[in-house]
Amino acid sequence: MHHVGVLALDGVVPFELGIPARIFGTARDPAGNPLYTVTTCSLDGGPVRADGALGLTVTRDASLLAEADTVVIPPSHTLGVIRDEGRLPEALAGALSAIRPGTRIVGICTGAYVLAAAGLLDHRPATTHWREAERLQRMFTSTRVDPDVLFVDDGDICTSAGVAAGIDLCLHLVRRDHGTRVANDVARACVVPPWRDGGQAQYIQRPVPDPAATSTAPTQAWAMERLAEPLTLADLAAHAHMSVRTFTRRFRDETGTTPGRWLIRQRVDLARQFLETTDWPVDVVAQRAGFGTGVSLRQHLHAALGVTPQAYRRTFRPYASPAA
């Protein structure tokens, strides 16, 4: 059982504080057994003042962090000297120093300031809410802050952008730990999108679509049922009863990406599911996912994840047959 410890600091934002318990706590194995335990603590075990004039009662103090396999630090709106001077209060520094080596540490939104002040982000990539990215970079110059992504997975240290990006990161970690099927089940139970790539832009400055305009959502759903087919931009536009130019513009307004890139992302995700759940040869996976050939699948999977289909299958399905 993987133990997730969540540290609630004064001023914690309740929405992000609840994400780890909701996402990790929903994950189940095929028999329905929980895959994680999630416990929330404060520095001294006492009540915590939360953002929005709320008070929270917790059951543990920060000694919990020494027992956890994953430590999550949600954002706070009153980080004080951490955000202003880049240093940790003594009690917090002591609590973080007790975390065991090799423990996975996650900072959601401005939780990245805590990780950076503890020296955990030195010479490492990280992200935070786009409004805080410039300040975080200026204060911690050795950290490689990427303001444009939803989350950064750097192995034992992970950070996310603001608010709902914490959901994306936690789902990504469930997927990393237990595969796409478990992560998709969690997403379905929580009624959230199962996959938003960490490299997706966190802030897309675009107008809200005209309510009177026809949405491309029905065409997206139609395409999802036909990913194995050689869909073209003209096919998508025709289904939406739009010109190619209008469809492309409206699709980008609604999704923040082009139809072509969106199709590739959906096909990569489908190929990952096939690699995890079947013994099909790579060429068959490529055909069923809409890539046509194993060569094309290898190129796109490597571009998206940095691994080959065989390596991905070995990671998530180590007992697949040799023919896979």
Side-chain angles (χ1 to χ4, degrees):
M1 181 74 71
H2 188 109
H3 189 189
V4 178
V6 183
L7 177 60
L9 301 172
D10 274 341
V12 68
V13 183
F15 180 88
E16 285 93 323
L17 175 65
I19 289 173
R22 187 61 174 168
I23 298 299
F24 292 114
T26 302
R28 297 290 188 272
D29 68 14
N33 301 309
L35 293 167
Y36 303 87
T37 59
V38 184
T39 309
T40 301
C41 68
S42 65
L43 286 175
D44 60 4
V48 176
R49 293 180 293 105
D51 183 58
L54 298 176
L56 301 173
T57 301
V58 299
T59 58
R60 294 287 304 273
D61 63 23
S63 63
L64 166 76
L65 304 184
E67 308 166 10
D69 302 298
T70 292
V71 170
V72 181
I73 303 178
S76 165
H77 283 169
T78 57
L79 288 175
V81 297
I82 303 172
R83 182 176 179 274
D84 296 336
E85 302 176 21
R87 62 181 178 87
L88 296 177
E90 185 177 348
L92 179 54
L96 296 180
S97 68
I99 297 174
R100 295 172 299 166
T103 299
R104 183 166 62 194
I105 304 177
V106 177
I108 297 177
C109 190
T110 57
Y113 277 100
V114 178
L115 272 59
L120 297 172
L121 298 183
D122 290 352
H123 310 292
R124 302 186 74 156
T127 193
T128 188
H129 193 289
W130 59 270
R131 283 187 177 135
E132 293 287 337
E134 183 179 352
R135 182 186 184 94
L136 182 69
Q137 183 66 86
R138 186 171 65 250
M139 183 169 290
F140 302 99
T141 57
S142 69
T143 301
R144 303 195 301 274
V145 179
D146 188 339
D148 298 322
V149 297
L150 292 177
F151 59 83
V152 172
D153 178 352
D154 197 37
D156 60 333
I157 303 292
C158 303
T159 50
S160 83
V163 198
I167 297 175
D168 298 301
L169 175 54
C170 289
L171 273 175
H172 165 77
L173 295 177
V174 171
R175 184 179 296 107
R176 195 178 90 178
D177 292 346
H178 299 288
T180 298
R181 177 173 290 178
V182 172
N184 284 352
D185 287 344
V186 171
R188 190 176 301 112
C190 296
V191 198
V192 296
W195 174 251
R196 289 202 300 169
D197 182 20
Q200 180 175 327
Q202 61 168 288
Y203 178 61
I204 304 165
Q205 192 169 19
R206 60 177 185 267
V208 175
D210 181 355
T214 302
S215 169
T216 63
T219 297
Q220 294 175 44
W222 175 81
M224 288 289 288
E225 297 297 322
R226 294 164 176 79
L227 291 176
E229 301 176 14
L231 299 172
T232 66
L233 179 57
D235 294 332
L236 299 176
H239 180 270
H241 304 291
M242 302 178 192
S243 69
V244 168
R245 182 177 179 181
T246 298
F247 177 80
T248 300
R249 183 182 69 252
R250 194 157 294 162
F251 193 97
R252 185 187 287 274
D253 285 344
E254 294 180 9
T255 67
T257 190
T258 66
R261 290 175 180 169
W262 179 87
L263 270 175
I264 289 172
R265 191 159 61 228
Q266 306 312 314
R267 285 170 168 156
V268 165
D269 195 30
L270 182 59
R272 292 169 66 183
Q273 294 185 50
F274 290 152
L275 289 169
E276 293 178 23
T277 60
T278 75
D279 289 329
W280 296 341
V282 169
D283 284 343
V284 173
V285 170
Q287 293 168 7
R288 298 290 182 91
F291 286 114
T293 68
V295 171
S296 179
L297 171 59
R298 291 182 185 92
Q299 291 173 341
H300 287 293
L301 193 68
H302 192 274
L305 303 175
V307 298
T308 65
Q310 294 89 343
Y312 185 87
R313 174 170 272 164
R314 283 195 299 270
T315 299
F316 288 101
R317 201 161 185 263
Y319 303 112
S321 69

